[in-house]
Amino acid sequence: MLTYRCNSRCAMCHLWQHPTLPEEEITPALLAKLPKGFSTITLTGGEPTLRDDLEEIVDVLHPKTRRLDIYTNGLQAEILDKMAQKYPKTRFWVGMDGLLTKNDQIRGEQGGFSKKTELFGRFFAVGAKNMGISVTIQDENCDQLTDLLRWSQKRDVCLSATALHNGFQFHKIDNEPYNRMRTARATQQLAVELLASRRPQNWLRAYSLIGLMRKILGQPRLIRCTAGRDFVCLDPWGRLYACNVRPDLEMGDLTAQSWRQIMRSPQAAAARTRVARCTHNCWMPESARAAFRRRWWPRRVRFQAFRWIFLNRWRLWRGQPVRFEPLVDFHDIAPSPVAPRRTSWLDRPFTPAPQKKTEAPYGAFNHVMNK
């Protein structure tokens, strides 16, 4: 997470209300301390394009990983054009949570949908090869999920989905579905559409949505979490966490320690122990991707995923419905806590309150559960 500054005003993420100070954010020199050999490095925030030194950061990190992902709201096309032209194999994920005004209302972006649509045209023009839209599934947009998929397919871009989560990354503790069943059923239809496509990548995303449906319904994780071992999260001040949900899983501080010192420290070992006992049912794209991989052969996906894909692709070919029931119990629905309605911040006045590293800003989220 390169910064907590953001020029979107998403209803389900209030990170933009608590921006970091640019002079305190991690520098390219600090990121140079990271070792080589990562499978994936994901740059997110906040909004990464608000960093004046984003190109320098990519220059530092690109040789350290097989795959570099950048999550962006897509509102600053000129900066992204330059990045796509210089590193055409970088995967750009553009946050899009609805079609037309629906996206603008949810994400608090004036003209955001039209800017994102224009951005993909510019990406193709400069030769970018890996692009996708990132959707946060919620009550407000679940009726548009299949339309969003078809919109992306017409433009030859991928679709990745997550659902509402709580945690320190979002500075919110009330991200809960209003209607779990309705949202889960809409996600189920999206999974069917993905499985029916011709792209093998979409078949794996369809299987991933099983975990997302379980999360929406309030059921335990599909596959146990491997946070702190297979993936970690670096905040804008250089503090390393096992995941981007629980602030009590801090492993060390890159500004004061080397990567090796952090990963071998008693603090990191304690964080991994707490992960093994964690009862949250978080299911985000990065953590789900790590969970799918085999322990001793991380470039290969678990056999269970291929088995489910093969059997249900066969069922689709025979005109039969996809079977979700063995993995998702649609009769087991957790009660939803009473949460205030998420309202659009589009055109609403607000003055952000910057936060400093010394403020320990995550304390309020220590006991938040994603159930």
Side-chain angles (χ1 to χ4, degrees):
M1 295 187 285
L2 297 179
T3 179
Y4 284 158
R5 292 176 285 144
C6 191
N7 50 351
S8 295
R9 292 186 173 189
C10 297
M12 65 287 182
C13 172
H14 287 175
L15 178 149
W16 53 272
Q17 297 184 11
H18 310 278
T20 43
L21 300 172
E23 60 270 21
E24 288 191 342
E25 293 168 351
I26 48 179
T27 63
L30 184 67
L31 293 172
K33 294 173 65 175
L34 296 174
K36 294 183 179 181
F38 287 100
S39 171
T40 304
I41 293 180
T42 300
L43 303 182
T44 180
E47 174 50 41
T49 59
L50 295 181
R51 290 286 303 250
D52 294 334
D53 55 356
L54 178 60
E55 185 175 354
E56 186 179 352
I57 289 172
V58 173
D59 289 340
V60 169
L61 295 179
H62 194 271
K64 296 179 182 291
T65 180
R66 291 196 300 269
R67 169 175 163 176
L68 184 68
D69 288 9
I70 298 179
Y71 278 76
T72 175
N73 57 22
L75 301 183
Q76 301 202 87
E78 298 80 7
I79 297 174
L80 294 167
D81 278 353
K82 189 174 182 181
M83 301 297 301
Q85 194 166 9
K86 187 171 184 180
Y87 296 107
K89 293 185 178 180
T90 296
R91 187 179 293 275
F92 295 90
W93 294 102
V94 179
M96 183 180 290
D97 290 321
L99 298 173
L100 303 172
T101 57
K102 178 69 71 175
N103 170 85
D104 299 356
Q105 290 170 357
I106 293 175
R107 298 183 60 87
E109 300 169 348
Q110 191 66 49
F113 180 80
S114 60
K115 292 177 182 177
K116 299 172 200 289
T117 302
E118 178 187 352
L119 175 65
F120 284 113
R122 298 176 67 141
F123 274 161
F124 281 115
V126 299
K129 301 182 183 302
N130 298 300
M131 297 164 289
I133 62 174
S134 176
V135 182
T136 301
I137 298 175
Q138 51 198 287
D139 304 80
E140 289 81 0
N141 67 1
C142 64
D143 60 330
Q144 289 195 353
L145 295 180
T146 54
D147 292 332
L148 275 168
L149 176 62
R150 291 162 189 163
W151 184 93
S152 67
Q153 289 174 333
K154 286 181 180 179
R155 289 156 181 81
D156 196 28
V157 299
C158 303
L159 182 146
S160 175
T162 186
L164 293 172
H165 282 73
N166 290 309
F168 76 78
Q169 184 185 16
F170 309 106
H171 290 257
K172 284 181 110 272
I173 60 174
D174 56 2
N175 274 336
E176 302 289 346
Y178 309 142
N179 188 326
R180 291 184 186 272
M181 177 59 77
R182 175 174 175 264
T183 307
R185 288 298 188 185
T187 306
Q188 178 186 16
Q189 184 56 42
L190 177 63
V192 172
E193 295 270 348
L194 285 167
L195 191 62
S197 76
R198 296 182 178 180
R199 287 188 173 187
Q201 291 176 328
N202 284 342
W203 306 344
L204 286 170
R205 293 188 178 103
Y207 183 76
S208 177
L209 289 182
I210 295 173
L212 207 57
M213 283 183 269
R214 292 173 64 103
K215 187 265 176 294
I216 293 169
L217 292 169
Q219 299 169 11
R221 276 179 61 102
L222 177 65
I223 304 171
R224 68 182 181 87
C225 184
T226 59
R229 190 189 74 207
D230 291 340
F231 67 95
V232 291
C233 176
L234 189 67
D235 82 356
W237 295 296
R239 293 184 292 212
L240 199 69
Y241 292 83
C243 73
N244 57 349
V245 169
R246 290 180 53 177
D248 62 320
L249 298 180
E250 184 176 352
M251 301 172 69
D253 192 333
L254 200 61
T255 62
Q257 302 165 275
S258 70
W259 173 267
R260 183 182 294 269
Q261 288 172 335
I262 293 174
M263 300 306 287
R264 295 185 175 183
S265 68
Q267 186 177 357
R272 295 189 191 99
T273 299
R274 288 195 291 273
V275 168
R277 299 169 182 167
C278 184
T279 56
H280 289 229
N281 69 340
C282 313
W283 193 259
M284 301 183 192
E286 301 301 327
S287 59
R289 184 190 307 161
F292 282 154
R293 303 297 173 181
R294 298 182 184 179
R295 177 73 184 275
W296 305 114
W297 202 356
R299 292 197 188 187
R300 296 292 180 264
V301 177
R302 291 173 180 265
F303 171 75
Q304 296 93 319
F306 284 121
R307 181 177 182 274
W308 182 87
I309 290 169
F310 174 80
L311 291 176
N312 285 285
R313 285 276 299 174
W314 174 253
R315 290 179 64 85
L316 283 175
W317 183 78
R318 297 178 62 186
Q320 297 175 334
V322 176
R323 293 195 67 202
F324 293 95
E325 288 71 18
L327 298 174
V328 183
D329 184 355
F330 286 95
H331 300 288
D332 180 13
I333 307 172
S336 293
V338 178
R341 291 275 168 170
R342 292 173 292 277
T343 57
S344 176
W345 285 89
L346 185 65
D347 296 329
R348 288 177 61 186
F350 183 82
T351 302
Q355 57 181 330
K356 298 180 179 180
K357 181 177 182 177
T358 55
E359 293 177 4
Y362 304 140
F365 308 100
N366 269 336
H367 304 293
V368 173
M369 297 295 286
N370 286 296
K371 286 195 171 180

